[in-house]
Amino acid sequence: DENLLLPLLHSLPQIEIENEGEILYNLTMGYPLKNTILCRFILQWMNFLIKAEDFQYQKYDTWQLISLLKAPMLSYILDKKNTDFKNSLITDLTLKNQLFYNPTELESIIETINIQPFNQLFSILFYRISNPANFIKALIEFLQLIAEVIQKEGKDLNAILNSQINLAFTIAKKLKSLTINNESELSLKALQKILDQLFRRSEISLKGEPLSGIQIMV
């Protein structure tokens, strides 16, 4: 069951090795992009925007906003200082007990954030995305931000996450060319269906060394 791959990888014991470069565990398979935390976050983000679009006057659902901020994907982007600020913001949003926020109110929150990359992240996710072309532009900016943070923080050893980002970049570029020719015919809901299909058809290729280490078959 390929859905068990990531839980398994996170559960493997840490073992000290004597020889640098020695392979302890080996895995060779294709892992569906639709099962990754990056893919789930992007679709969750789209649901948040689509629900806001359904209101006559665009409003963002507070509980969906909080759920998005709690998404595991953000843990790869935010350091301790940013995470502490995010948790503080979640607490404030919860205590205010305000059901919805309009775009102006969210922009006011963005203006009060003075730490990076949280300020940039917040701006990308919530800054008036009203059509597919704007969303794809924001998606590309989001993927670029993740890639930059991972490289800067020395997290580039996470091969699975890097593969997710690279594959998502390829899909985003395809979508960008699609919206250029069909912008007037596409809605965010239609784009979400297309994106979901592309995610389902895409796999991360994990290639290992079959003659070294413990072989894992999922």
Side-chain angles (χ1 to χ4, degrees):
D1 182 354
E2 60 197 11
N3 293 315
L4 298 177
L5 174 61
L6 291 185
L8 171 65
L9 293 180
H10 287 294
S11 301
L12 291 174
Q14 297 292 324
I15 303 174
E16 293 186 6
I17 58 176
E18 296 180 0
N19 301 321
E20 186 177 350
E22 181 181 346
I23 297 175
L24 286 176
Y25 303 107
N26 179 69
L27 173 69
T28 302
M29 68 173 292
Y31 187 73
L33 185 63
K34 67 181 179 65
N35 293 340
T36 64
I37 59 172
L38 176 59
C39 174
R40 290 198 295 267
F41 179 83
I42 293 171
L43 294 176
Q44 183 183 0
W45 177 20
M46 290 203 77
N47 282 330
F48 172 80
L49 297 172
I50 289 169
K51 184 167 183 178
E53 191 181 48
D54 287 340
F55 290 101
Q56 182 178 4
Y57 301 100
Q58 193 175 33
K59 296 179 182 178
Y60 297 108
D61 183 279
T62 303
W63 296 112
Q64 276 194 321
L65 171 59
I66 291 173
S67 178
L68 201 61
L69 291 173
K70 288 181 176 179
M73 184 65 234
L74 298 190
S75 65
Y76 285 93
I77 307 173
L78 306 178
D79 58 16
K80 185 179 185 304
K81 180 179 178 182
N82 281 268
T83 299
D84 289 344
F85 181 86
K86 182 195 73 171
N87 292 337
S88 176
L89 177 59
I90 290 173
T91 300
D92 290 343
L93 292 172
T94 303
L95 292 176
K96 284 182 180 178
N97 203 28
Q98 183 173 330
L99 294 179
F100 299 98
Y101 283 84
N102 62 44
T104 302
E105 289 172 323
L106 272 186
E107 287 165 20
S108 297
I109 295 175
I110 293 173
E111 290 174 358
T112 65
I113 303 173
N114 296 316
I115 57 174
Q116 295 293 352
F118 194 84
N119 178 277
Q120 186 180 358
L121 172 66
F122 212 77
S123 298
I124 292 171
L125 294 179
F126 308 120
Y127 192 80
R128 295 182 185 267
I129 299 174
S130 57
N131 58 59
N134 285 344
F135 175 79
I136 294 169
K137 180 181 177 182
L139 175 58
I140 292 174
E141 291 177 358
F142 173 68
L143 294 172
Q144 288 172 336
L145 175 62
I146 301 173
E148 289 171 4
V149 171
I150 289 174
Q151 185 176 13
K152 182 179 179 181
E153 299 296 327
K155 298 178 182 178
D156 53 336
L157 295 178
N158 192 328
I160 295 180
L161 181 56
N162 281 326
S163 297
Q164 293 176 43
I165 295 170
N166 292 334
L167 192 50
F169 261 126
T170 302
I171 292 174
K173 290 176 181 177
K174 288 181 181 179
L175 289 174
K176 185 176 181 180
S177 62
L178 176 66
T179 55
I180 290 174
N181 300 322
N182 302 281
E183 186 173 352
S184 60
E185 301 175 8
L186 281 175
S187 63
L188 281 177
K189 285 183 180 179
L191 182 67
Q192 184 188 41
K193 291 180 180 179
I194 295 171
L195 192 59
D196 184 59
Q197 290 178 2
L198 291 173
F199 283 158
R200 291 177 182 276
R201 296 174 185 173
S202 302
E203 282 191 344
I204 299 169
S205 180
L206 304 174
K207 297 180 180 179
E209 173 51 62
L211 301 179
S212 300
I214 299 172
Q215 305 301 307
I216 299 175
M217 295 182 293
V218 183

